[in-house]
Amino acid sequence: MAHDKEMFAGDVPPNRGEVQAHDAFAFGLDDFAGYDQLVAALYGCLNSNSGFHPFFDAFKSHFRCLQGGLLGLTNAPIRMIYGWTFGYPDGFEQWYINSDLPQQDEALLKYTALSPRQFGSFTGGDPNVDFMAMMGEQSRVWAEEAGLGDSAGMLVCRNDESQIVFMTNRHRDEGPYTETELLQMNMLAPHIENAVKLHQKLYHSKGDSENLSAALNHVSKPMIVFNEVAQVVQCNAAAEVVLAMHPGLFVTDSQEQRLKSRHARFNRKLESAIVTSIFNARHGIQDIITLFDETDDERIAICLTPLVEGENNHHGALAELVLFNAANPVDQNRLQELFQCTPAEARTASLLAQGMTAESIAEELSISVHTVRQYIKSLLGKNGYRRQTQLVAAMVRALG
């Protein structure tokens, strides 16, 4: 039975199964379905010190996992010192903490050798690879009992003394993790890193306890937190740098502390999107809203995620900012890998990811609006989206 617990108690080349940027493969229908819900569930875990159970539930369902979790480990030797886990039998984690198994766990050693935020599969996604034959004697005993057929994982972060690894095991009846699934996990990877670091600062710092808004200053990704009345309660240092570089977007100096745009039309869109995201949080809707603010070539993509504070029934929104220059080309090869684009569709997708309309794209590429809309329709169908806004949000997050 799945459960969520918290307990305290030299360079290696990439391994087989690590998804490299040049690996070319395509997504099928509905491959991105549920991505926004996974991200929202992940950040929603920050409003409680009870761990990552809601995210594990969503991740387990989406990727058909049997067991896994976030493991806090010492570096040398590798020993487990705390963790949040799901799917393991009672007593397993305590045994794992008190044993030398982490130092001998072949899958765990593989993931600690990966670059941060890079998922790898233990079998390399090859159905002909015998998972059990790759395990050591001690690991094989419990792996056979659980019926494992593959494992995937990533190094979340590491400092001089410790590291955090995310692992997720799959039953042999489900087959190995595919390259597509690993690439989906890699889209989640930076969000997992952000959430883990924020959770550590919120609930495990040695100093005075912090709230989510204060903890944001400990992550490098530009983020803004809004309370339930759409006021900015924290704009982290990285977000302040981005806002300072962008002439169109700012936080008011008044007591109300609102995120505003100097463009009246976009300002109305922004206010509506923030309020909608907070409304969604109140009603358990996990839709992520993405919109763009632009001044000349300088643009910001704003991704809004609903936030729910379950214990006190407080609601809000989390904004992630992605600053880019429209004069700099988007990586179209990356778009082709992630979104099953033809070269022509990738050119359209790269401009969609910069917030351009179909009409503007047609003018930029010297093609008809009808052709642009056909490309967009094709991209929606290939990637399982019903709305253009969902496609754009996925592209911004993947490229950002």
Side-chain angles (χ1 to χ4, degrees):
M1 182 175 64
H3 49 99
D4 186 24
K5 296 182 179 179
E6 179 182 355
M7 289 164 297
F8 294 86
D11 293 340
V12 179
N15 292 284
R16 187 179 180 208
E18 181 178 353
V19 177
Q20 303 295 333
H22 61 268
D23 291 339
F25 51 87
F27 284 117
L29 187 64
D30 291 332
D31 278 328
F32 282 102
Y35 176 73
D36 286 358
Q37 285 76 15
L38 283 166
V39 175
L42 178 62
Y43 286 122
C45 296
L46 300 178
N47 292 304
S48 169
N49 66 356
S50 59
F52 290 88
H53 181 67
F55 172 66
F56 289 155
D57 284 346
F59 191 97
K60 178 181 177 181
S61 175
H62 186 84
F63 292 105
R64 307 188 315 281
C65 307
L66 179 65
Q67 56 193 206
L70 286 156
L71 310 181
L73 308 164
T74 56
N75 287 338
I78 297 178
R79 298 292 297 268
M80 182 174 168
I81 49 178
Y82 66 88
W84 300 272
T85 64
F86 66 94
Y88 292 103
D90 289 339
F92 178 87
E93 297 91 341
Q94 194 62 46
W95 169 70
Y96 201 76
I97 287 176
N98 295 326
S99 73
D100 294 325
L101 187 59
Q103 184 66 35
Q104 305 171 37
D105 190 320
E106 293 79 9
L108 190 59
L109 293 174
K110 173 190 175 82
Y111 307 140
T112 59
L114 294 175
S115 302
R117 301 175 301 282
Q118 177 67 64
F119 272 93
S121 162
F122 191 60
T123 65
D126 187 343
N128 297 315
V129 172
D130 186 348
F131 179 82
M132 294 301 171
M134 301 172 68
M135 305 294 288
E137 183 177 352
Q138 278 191 291
S139 302
R140 192 182 303 121
V141 173
W142 67 264
E144 286 181 340
E145 184 176 346
L148 302 189
D150 198 8
S151 175
M154 80 165 193
L155 174 64
V156 179
C157 56
R158 176 187 285 135
N159 58 34
D160 292 339
E161 298 179 354
S162 63
Q163 56 193 322
I164 297 175
V165 172
F166 181 84
M167 288 184 65
T168 174
N169 299 325
R170 173 178 272 181
H171 195 276
R172 56 176 169 259
D173 291 345
E174 296 289 352
Y177 290 104
T178 65
E179 289 182 326
T180 296
E181 289 172 322
L182 291 175
L183 196 49
Q184 289 178 328
M185 292 179 190
N186 282 336
M187 291 174 63
L188 286 169
H191 299 290
I192 294 173
E193 180 191 33
N194 284 337
V196 169
K197 288 183 176 179
L198 284 168
H199 198 280
Q200 285 183 310
K201 293 297 180 181
L202 283 165
Y203 304 113
H204 306 292
S205 60
K206 294 181 180 179
D208 294 336
S209 60
E210 300 177 85
N211 56 29
L212 173 58
S213 58
L216 284 180
N217 277 326
H218 298 287
V219 296
S220 59
K221 189 168 186 176
M223 293 183 170
I224 298 173
V225 172
F226 302 91
N227 63 16
E228 55 193 352
V229 293
Q231 293 175 311
V232 174
V233 293
Q234 178 65 25
C235 178
N236 74 354
E240 289 178 351
V241 170
V242 169
L243 294 179
M245 296 172 62
H246 192 278
L249 203 63
F250 64 99
V251 175
T252 61
D253 293 328
S254 66
Q255 289 185 343
E256 287 200 343
Q257 289 285 295
R258 307 282 183 183
L259 182 65
K260 297 280 189 179
S261 171
R262 291 184 172 86
H263 305 105
R265 184 176 179 183
F266 179 79
N267 193 58
R268 289 193 294 272
K269 289 183 179 179
L270 178 61
E271 290 177 344
S272 176
I274 294 170
V275 170
T276 298
S277 189
I278 296 168
F279 177 87
N280 286 343
R282 292 171 182 162
H283 292 81
I285 300 170
Q286 296 180 323
D287 289 349
I288 294 176
I289 302 171
T290 300
L291 61 166
F292 297 83
D293 189 26
E294 59 185 273
T295 301
D296 299 325
D297 285 336
E298 295 299 325
R299 298 182 180 180
I300 290 181
I302 306 168
C303 300
L304 289 159
T305 302
L307 286 178
V308 179
E309 211 287 51
E311 294 180 1
N312 298 316
N313 201 30
H314 292 166
H315 307 90
L318 175 70
E320 305 164 64
L321 309 182
V322 181
L323 177 65
F324 57 94
N325 190 302
N328 297 329
V330 172
D331 187 345
Q332 294 186 24
N333 290 331
R334 181 72 169 161
L335 283 172
Q336 289 184 61
E337 292 173 2
L338 289 173
F339 295 95
Q340 198 178 349
C341 300
T342 65
E345 290 169 348
R347 288 191 289 272
T348 292
S350 68
L351 298 177
L352 277 176
Q354 296 182 35
M356 293 180 65
T357 64
E359 291 75 14
S360 300
I361 293 171
E363 183 177 352
E364 177 75 16
L365 298 179
S366 299
I367 57 179
S368 71
V369 174
H370 174 74
T371 300
V372 172
R373 287 175 178 159
Q374 285 299 112
Y375 289 154
I376 295 172
K377 182 178 179 180
S378 176
L379 288 166
L380 290 170
K382 288 178 180 179
N383 295 290
Y385 290 112
R386 293 180 175 83
R387 296 179 303 186
Q388 183 175 322
T389 53
Q390 295 173 315
L391 174 66
V392 172
M395 290 191 297
V396 168
R397 285 180 172 274
L399 297 174

